[in-house]
Amino acid sequence: MSLAFRSRAHDDDVQDLRDVMTRMAVRMTFAKGEEIYGQDEDADFVYCVTRGAVRTARVMSDGRRQVGGFYYPYEVFGLDAGHVHRFFAEALSDCEILVLKRSALRADLGQAQFERVLWAATQRELARAQDHVMILGRKSACEKVASFLAELAGRSDAKSVEMPMSRQDMADYLGLTIETVSRMLTQLQKSAVVEFAGLRSFRICNTDAMARLAE
Amino acid sequence: MSLAFRSRAHDDDVQDLRDVMTRMAVRMTFAKGEEIYGQDEDADFVYCVTRGAVRTARVMSDGRRQVGGFYYPYEVFGLDAGHVHRFFAEALSDCEILVLKRSALRADLGQAQFERVLWAATQRELARAQDHVMILGRKSACEKVASFLAELAGRSDAKSVEMPMSRQDMADYLGLTIETVSRMLTQLQKSAVVEFAGLRSFRICNTDAMARLAE
DNA sequence: CGTCATCTTGATTACGCTCAAGCTCCGTGG
DNA sequence: CCACGGAGCTTGAGCGTAATCAAGATGACG
């Protein structure tokens, strides 16, 4: 089985999942900051962003927060590991989400494809988490912020990249404080690696320097 | 579908995987430090530790290393995200590993169970990676080391817990230096939270303090 | 235009890193 | 069995990066 073939099949699964969700799922809207699902809740649903953005996070008993990831239109979430949510999900901005019961998905796709599709989605989540581990474990503050911007830019096709999350969200994703994130953004701009157009929009000026920092 | 029932099914899948591997897999031995699979290699096999221990890791171009995880007897590894290994795996000590081609596993279990079993394994990996993110992002050096010891203790059933990895391995897992790891171990011992019997064996003295530090 | 949340910048502190020395454990050979 | 040697570990001193504390600046929204 060639790599190309497998990738193709993988993409098909993702597409199938989106198709089913578009067809069968309930369309819900959430206001900025609203909870979509809670930590330790049963993971009975699958979610897909159609408009806006979502963050997943966990908090420790003393309030320290770790953001697990951000999700944008067309991305599937709610699969964090098994039958109980280990993170909670919140609307980053006002947003629209497709919500589908897992059992309904299974009924429509059949057991086999259901498992294949969710396995593929779980693998993407795992890849994401592993990249996150790399960023958190062995990178400097500047590299963390650069990696984050590079990832955002990678997901966007436009020249100008929109940043829907606050500095606090970025900090809690990168294991930093808002002050440090702010300083690093300023520094990256001063050294002409990126250029900001307002607080939440940027574009990469020096691709090489960016790639070097983000590894 | 109750949680209990689902957990049971999950455990069955894990057991089935071990059974098939014991029956069909090739038993290989690796000397301490030997590579089991490489980064960016195709992930055509599934692995199960039978003796010794394994670590997975990634290195950045300048040599910084991030350890992804440690695997002990009966644990399955080699599933890190998709069709290409994103980490490499090395023998932590001399060890014995069951190796089985994925295609052979699929042929034996059938497509459906193959996917269910590997999905379950991928979910465990994801849960592991998510816990790792929490440790790396928002914990102090002391809490990181305590969390690590607590996790090790949790996997072991004996009172005295064996630690097969070096301080360097621990440091690269926790995003610290060996000096800091060493200092924290000393500190935990001085404050009577744990007690060491030699460099690589310990037991937890103060369970409450340990739980508090490890959250 | 005023108010409040968010963000930036500055000054200071502290946690963990770096560099350096010494110690312990363990394998090896005399 | 002990002496030697080397890797791995611990400890100490000093430093640097990012956290904390504290003001301001900017932007969003009524």
Side-chain angles (χ1 to χ4, degrees), chain B residues 63-79:
Chain B
R64 281 177 284 180
R65 189 176 75 144
Q66 177 64 51
V67 168
F70 300 101
Y71 299 85
Y72 308 100
Y74 306 111
E75 296 187 339
V76 173
F77 67 100
L79 290 168

Side-chain angles (χ1 to χ4, degrees), chain A residues 17-36:
Chain A
L17 179 53
R18 286 204 199 107
D19 288 347
V20 178
M21 292 207 64
T22 309
R23 187 154 42 79
M24 301 181 61
V26 176
R27 194 173 295 263
M28 294 183 70
T29 57
F30 294 89
K32 179 177 178 173
E34 209 177 334
E35 182 178 288
I36 299 169

Side-chain angles (χ1 to χ4, degrees), chain B residues 140-141 176-177 179-180 183:
Chain B
S140 69
L176 299 170
T177 59
E179 292 95 330
T180 300
R183 276 183 248 271

Side-chain angles (χ1 to χ4, degrees), chain B residues 161-163 165 167 170 182 185 196-202:
Chain B
V161 186
E162 297 304 311
M163 244 179 353
M165 70 290 295
R167 299 293 190 262
M170 293 177 57
S182 182
L185 289 173
F196 280 85
L199 281 173
R200 300 198 173 180
S201 172
F202 71 95

